[in-house]
Amino acid sequence: MTNTKETSIFESAVFPLLSDSDDARFWQTVLDDLEQEFSLLDIDQCKDFDIFLQIGACSHWLRPHQTRLTAAGGFAFPVGYLGGDFCRAGLPEFDWFVLFHRNKSKGGWLESEQFFGKRRLVCRVVLPTRTSRHNQAVVNVLWTPGTPNQPKQKAKLFYAYRKIADEWKQVAAGEL
């Protein structure tokens, strides 16, 4: 995601899967923010692991008893029904996703049909659908078994966005 060629790889794989109710500007903003996050992690220096980015959409988020994130004025808590038995531990379930892996020898991202390698780090990024109808959205990010900087420590993160003056802006981020 660090150059035009890489961005076009993500756009060409992800954007055709968006529906009319998904705001492509939101998706582009999230991809740009992920680029910044990945540059801070110094992924290319992590030679011991195969690194994957699994990015996709979820249309059924869990919101029991109005559970909320209080950051930046409040957002729906970004969890879903996958493996959590209707609690905050559940992951948002993908409606669809695209898988990429980091090319160790040349750098850059390549689309992948499946996971491979015995030692891998996976960044699972789930964006909500129907973003053209809403003025706020939360992205769920899970690094397993950990991040390139801390490969043994799982990272559960959120990124909260608001549409301000018709432009998506990240207004909060943190650990879940």
Side-chain angles (χ1 to χ4, degrees):
M1 289 195 275
T2 58
N3 63 41
T4 307
K5 184 177 182 184
E6 286 182 286
T7 301
S8 66
I9 290 170
F10 288 102
E11 288 175 2
S12 65
V14 171
F15 282 28
L17 300 172
L18 299 179
S19 75
D20 291 341
S21 65
D22 296 321
D23 189 337
R25 294 171 301 164
F26 170 68
W27 283 78
Q28 187 62 59
T29 301
V30 172
L31 289 173
D32 292 345
D33 289 350
L34 287 173
E35 174 186 352
Q36 278 188 316
E37 290 293 320
F38 288 163
S39 69
L40 296 174
L41 292 173
D42 203 14
I43 287 176
D44 289 328
Q45 299 305 313
C46 188
K47 303 287 186 199
D48 295 339
F49 295 90
D50 290 301
I51 299 176
F52 291 87
L53 169 62
Q54 184 181 30
I55 186 166
C58 175
S59 59
H60 295 92
W61 296 75
L62 181 66
R63 194 170 172 205
H65 311 293
Q66 301 297 317
T67 302
R68 310 269 301 158
L69 287 171
T70 58
F75 292 86
F77 204 80
V79 294
Y81 295 96
L82 186 62
D85 294 333
F86 306 105
C87 69
R88 287 189 194 182
L91 290 174
E93 199 165 355
F94 285 120
D95 293 343
W96 58 262
F97 68 87
V98 181
L99 184 63
F100 300 93
H101 75 275
R102 190 73 178 171
N103 185 329
K104 285 185 189 180
S105 60
K106 298 178 184 176
W109 294 94
L110 300 171
E111 196 168 348
S112 180
E113 297 211 5
Q114 62 186 20
F115 293 107
F116 56 83
K118 290 182 181 179
R119 295 175 48 95
R120 61 180 171 236
L121 302 175
V122 178
C123 182
R124 182 184 195 274
V125 180
V126 187
L127 286 76
T129 59
R130 300 183 293 274
T131 49
S132 63
R133 300 182 199 170
H134 302 285
N135 291 324
Q136 64 184 29
V138 181
V139 176
N140 180 299
V141 177
L142 174 66
W143 276 97
T144 54
T147 67
N149 294 349
Q150 296 180 314
K152 293 182 180 178
Q153 184 175 347
K154 186 182 291 189
K156 295 179 181 180
L157 309 169
F158 75 89
Y159 298 93
Y161 293 84
R162 280 219 170 82
K163 195 185 303 184
I164 301 169
D166 210 35
E167 188 175 326
W168 287 97
K169 297 193 185 284
Q170 187 183 118
V171 294
E175 292 186 20
L176 289 174

